[in-house]
Amino acid sequence: MTQQHKSRRSFVKNLSLGIGSTAILPVLSSFQDLNEKIGRTDRKKLNIALCGLGRYATLLARSFVDTEYCNLAGIITGTPSKAVDWKRRYAIPDANIYDYGNFDTLKDNPDIDLVYVVLPNGMHKEFTLRAAAAGKHVIVEKPMAFTEKDCEEMITACQKAGVQLAVGYRLHYEPNHLEIKRLGQRKVFGQVRLIEVSLGYSIDDIDPNDWHLKKNLSGGGPLMNLGVYCVQASRYVLGEEPIAATAQFGPVTKPELYTEVEESITWQLYFASGAMATSTSTNSSGVDRFFASAEKGFFELSPAVSYGPFRGRSSHGEFDFPVINQQAAQMDGIAKVILAGKQLPEHISGIEGKKDMKVLEAIYTAAETGKKIFLS
């Protein structure tokens, strides 16, 4: 291995374990520059309240133990039994336990700094707006909302309230993804011409009443739930926005379940550089891979955009990066910037969420109409 490759590997390892929040598009800055941009904190912790206590919130809660700058300080839930369980499990004070009815009284609680919205997609906008009105910073899970217009309203509300809005883009802190971003944006193998990135699971035992199957709560099927990762990867590896999209809905193999949302969808994104990205998100089969072909080489991950652990290689050889707690790295990256009084980088902000939603809307329109949809 050359000294150049050793330095690159060490840099990405350090970045992923430390201040990964500042890996800003379109090109990574130096590690020293990033430290200087953010500055140092006094190790104070950001007090976070989780809003919605479902499966992913449980994963986040367990990840707080691996954070340096975050404290699970509060919870918001519509289920009283969950409040009792979480109070005991995570030593949550009574004063920091809320339901959806008294949520707005958060404005009077100085012991909560940020609300992490982990609710079904259809509730993201409402509770982001309410958190902003309460004067709290916000992390909202992806997809950020249902429409680009909704995202714009959320961004504006947070700006007017003087709070910061982040989207839960955990892969922006993950070392393998920092590496494929570097390889693509810095054109290490020349211009990337083709990207294939897909994510899907074979979901045979899903409850027919699961919110992912209800359009008013999910906004759509696997494109909203899984495809956003694929759109993200295509955009940040190329460092540019798509100019057009085509798409096709896949076959419905379980019509008793998929009455409101798609079971699978395949799409193609076209970029001004001449690159093309093809993706599938599906609930009917398992797939989790990323592949990029450039003028003078390739790079790939498999598993690629799930929770990992990821495995990757390029024309230069196998990747060798540490397995990290992605959720902890994401929360620490966001917290460190906020605690330092700095502005969150655009690539994990509401602006990024709005860009993704613009593409997702175009993909759905393309699949519904059979037309090539151009993005202005």
Side-chain angles (χ1 to χ4, degrees), residues 24-44:
I24 301 174
L25 288 174
V27 179
L28 294 171
S29 302
S30 73
F31 190 64
Q32 181 177 357
D33 287 345
L34 296 175
N35 268 314
E36 290 173 355
K37 282 182 181 179
I38 288 185
R40 296 186 177 276
T41 72
D42 59 1
R43 307 289 287 209
K44 175 187 173 184

Side-chain angles (χ1 to χ4, degrees), residues 25 235-236 238-244 270-273 352 355-356 358-359 375:
L25 288 174
R235 290 179 52 246
Y236 60 62
L238 290 167
E240 57 178 315
E241 299 303 314
I243 59 173
Y270 305 83
F271 295 83
S273 63
E352 185 77 356
K355 290 178 179 178
D356 272 341
K358 180 177 183 177
V359 179
L375 293 92

Side-chain angles (χ1 to χ4, degrees), residues 316-338:
H316 286 165
E318 300 287 329
F319 291 178
D320 180 20
F321 298 116
V323 175
I324 67 166
N325 183 321
Q326 297 173 29
Q327 288 74 25
Q330 171 204 300
M331 289 191 290
D332 259 354
I334 292 169
K336 188 172 173 67
V337 176
I338 291 175

Side-chain angles (χ1 to χ4, degrees), residues 8-18 20-21 23 28 169-183 236 299-301 304 307-313 319-327 329-330:
R8 179 268 302 165
R9 185 175 68 179
S10 297
F11 166 69
V12 180
K13 280 184 177 179
N14 290 334
L15 189 61
S16 67
L17 294 172
S21 63
L28 294 171
Y169 287 123
R170 59 184 167 80
L171 295 179
H172 282 264
Y173 303 85
E174 200 284 322
N176 291 278
H177 280 262
L178 292 175
E179 174 66 347
I180 63 173
K181 182 191 294 188
R182 184 189 75 91
L183 292 172
Y236 60 62
F299 46 101
E300 64 181 341
L301 295 175
Y307 297 150
F310 303 130
R311 294 184 61 187
R313 65 186 183 119
F319 291 178
D320 180 20
F321 298 116
V323 175
I324 67 166
N325 183 321
Q326 297 173 29
Q327 288 74 25
Q330 171 204 300

Side-chain angles (χ1 to χ4, degrees), residues 61-197:
R62 292 170 180 167
S63 296
F64 275 89
V65 70
D66 291 326
T67 65
E68 294 184 64
Y69 300 102
C70 301
N71 176 49
L72 176 54
I75 52 174
I76 302 104
T77 179
T79 307
S81 60
K82 286 185 179 181
V84 172
D85 179 53
W86 280 59
K87 174 186 175 180
R88 175 187 58 81
R89 191 183 302 269
Y90 299 107
I92 306 293
D94 286 334
N96 293 354
I97 299 175
Y98 295 83
D99 58 37
Y100 303 137
N102 66 7
F103 178 97
D104 303 311
T105 62
L106 272 165
K107 69 179 186 300
D108 301 318
N109 189 342
D111 294 329
I112 303 293
D113 302 312
L114 180 147
V115 174
Y116 196 147
V117 180
V118 205
L119 293 163
N121 305 338
M123 303 172 74
H124 287 182
K125 177 183 174 182
E126 175 190 348
F127 282 88
T128 295
L129 297 180
R130 291 174 72 178
K136 306 303 179 183
H137 300 295
V138 184
I139 304 174
V140 60
E141 263 309 308
K142 58 199 169 306
M144 183 174 164
F146 280 1
T147 67
E148 183 184 8
K149 183 176 181 295
D150 286 343
C151 295
E152 185 62 47
E153 289 183 44
M154 295 157 72
I155 293 167
T156 299
C158 289
Q159 289 174 339
K160 287 183 177 179
V163 299
Q164 299 214 50
L165 172 60
V167 182
Y169 287 123
R170 59 184 167 80
L171 295 179
H172 282 264
Y173 303 85
E174 200 284 322
N176 291 278
H177 280 262
L178 292 175
E179 174 66 347
I180 63 173
K181 182 191 294 188
R182 184 189 75 91
L183 292 172
Q185 291 188 18
R186 292 190 173 173
K187 297 180 172 57
V188 173
F189 300 113
Q191 174 64 49
V192 172
R193 296 300 186 194
L194 172 67
I195 290 176
E196 295 177 351
V197 51

Side-chain angles (χ1 to χ4, degrees), residues 19 43 47 64 115 158 184 187 213 226 260 267 292 372:
I19 56 168
R43 307 289 287 209
N47 288 324
F64 275 89
V115 174
C158 289
K187 297 180 172 57
L213 301 176
L226 307 174
E260 298 183 30
W267 68 93
K372 189 173 189 176

Side-chain angles (χ1 to χ4, degrees), residues 252-269:
V252 178
T253 65
K254 299 180 179 67
E256 70 280 8
L257 294 177
Y258 296 95
T259 59
E260 298 183 30
V261 302
E262 78 279 2
E263 184 175 350
S264 63
I265 185 170
T266 297
W267 68 93
Q268 303 78 36
L269 299 179

